[in-house]
Amino acid sequence: MAHRTLIVAKMRDGNAEAVAAAFAASDASDLPHMIGVSRRTLFRFHDLYFHLVEADEDISPALYRARSHPLYAELNTKLAALVSPYDPNWREPKDAMATSFYEWTAQ
């Protein structure tokens, strides 16, 4: 089974298209491969933004390494204008990652 990371943030109404476009451009680059992302799904619910990342393994170490890469900086700059932290004390990516507390898989 793939490793999943769920990122939660706030997104102003009407920004979904721009966020999707920013990720489409980024996903066409080498950045997802550098981090190890195999699938990305974006959701919105009212003013909430959910970013489901699937990979073969935990992306956290590669994500932290990629933070100094220009492709990451470019995406981060675009998203900063469109998405804001859910937690006002947010300092780094792990502060936006949800914690799984139940999982079930069909046999």
Side-chain angles (χ1 to χ4, degrees):
M1 165 108 0
H3 187 275
R4 293 179 303 269
T5 301
L6 181 63
I7 300 164
V8 180
K10 293 180 182 177
M11 182 174 66
R12 290 180 290 287
D13 200 25
N15 283 355
E17 250 183 64
V19 170
F23 273 109
S26 176
D27 289 340
S29 76
D30 287 334
L31 187 59
H33 305 289
M34 289 173 18
I35 297 173
V37 175
S38 57
R39 183 182 177 118
R40 178 186 326 282
T41 308
L42 304 176
F43 300 89
R44 67 183 168 129
F45 181 74
H46 300 287
D47 66 341
L48 295 177
Y49 156 93
F50 300 93
H51 178 176
L52 179 63
V53 179
E54 296 177 80
D56 290 334
E57 56 190 47
D58 183 6
I59 64 164
S60 296
L63 178 63
Y64 281 91
R65 283 191 303 274
R67 289 176 74 187
S68 62
H69 195 282
L71 289 172
Y72 181 94
E74 179 182 350
L75 177 61
N76 197 45
T77 299
K78 288 178 184 177
L79 292 177
L82 303 167
V83 176
S84 60
Y86 179 80
D87 179 356
N89 297 316
W90 186 95
R91 285 189 269 300
E92 56 183 304
K94 74 174 184 169
D95 296 334
M97 294 179 185
T99 304
S100 175
F101 61 94
Y102 176 80
E103 186 172 318
W104 176 84
T105 303
Q107 295 300 330

